[in-house]
């Protein structure tokens, strides 16, 4: 959470990805090598259709990881000033979306099932509008963010 302007509380949320681009390249090279070796063995054994399917595995894995990296480029920026709450959502290949709320009317809602120790979605609600934030965060992170948001909204002069 940034505090460059003492009058604004700001949080930038990004999905966590444990695999770097370099790790992705190493993984894809290893999978391609294993599948190519297996494909050649099946081809030489006379089971040539299997070789094509082994290449298809590599292509599908490559597509899935690229989709994952595209999802990782999304972010949510939440700013709370003295008078308003701004939520800006950025997604890869889409126009940024901004939603503004009057700070005095914003309520933080966290879906919790205390008996079963489950944490659901985190929402900001104001005047009949409800938006979900931090959908890509883990349950403990959503609960922590809810506490921070409530604390920031309760503080008079941020």
């Amino acid at each position: 959470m940034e505090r460059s302007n003492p009058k604004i509380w700001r949080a930038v949320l990004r999905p966590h990805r444990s695999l770097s681009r370099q790790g992705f390249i190493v993984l894809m090279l290893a999978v391609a090598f294993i599948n190519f070796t297996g494909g050649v063995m099946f081809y030489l054994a006379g089971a040539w259709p299997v070789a094509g399917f082994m290449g298809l595995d590599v292509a599908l894995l490559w597509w899935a990881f690229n989709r994952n990296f595209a999802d990782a480029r999304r972010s949510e920026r939440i700013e709370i000033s003295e008078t308003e709450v701004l939520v800006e959502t950025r997604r890869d290949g889409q126009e940024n979306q901004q939603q503004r709320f009057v700070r005095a009317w914003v309520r933080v809602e966290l879906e919790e099932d205390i008996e079963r120790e489950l944490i659901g979605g985190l929402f900001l609600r104001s005047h009949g509008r409800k938006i979900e934030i931090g959908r890509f965060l883990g349950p403990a992170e959503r609960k922590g963010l809810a506490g921070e948001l409530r604390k920031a909204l309760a503080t008079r002069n941020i």
Side-chain angles (χ1 to χ4, degrees), residues 33-124:
F33 175 76
I34 291 168
N35 277 9
F36 178 75
T37 304
V40 168
M41 290 172 54
F42 278 110
Y43 181 79
L44 293 175
W48 57 268
V50 176
F53 284 106
M54 293 189 88
L56 183 62
D57 287 352
V58 175
L60 287 173
L61 189 62
W62 177 84
W63 175 82
F65 272 109
N66 275 318
R67 181 72 188 126
N68 185 1
F69 284 123
D71 286 344
R73 288 188 290 271
R74 67 187 280 189
S75 68
E76 292 178 359
R77 184 171 56 103
I78 304 165
E79 288 186 359
I80 301 175
S81 68
E82 291 182 1
T83 58
E84 74 176 358
V85 176
L86 169 70
V87 179
E88 182 179 56
T89 305
R90 296 178 181 181
R91 290 198 173 126
D92 195 37
Q94 293 183 5
E95 194 172 316
N96 294 350
Q97 296 178 349
Q98 285 189 351
Q99 296 193 27
R100 296 177 185 273
F101 300 96
V102 176
R103 177 182 171 173
W105 297 100
V106 174
R107 299 294 169 252
V108 177
E109 294 180 1
L110 178 65
E111 295 176 338
E112 276 187 280
D113 185 346
I114 297 171
E115 291 177 8
R116 296 187 299 172
E117 298 179 5
L118 297 174
I119 297 175
L122 175 59
F123 301 92
L124 294 179

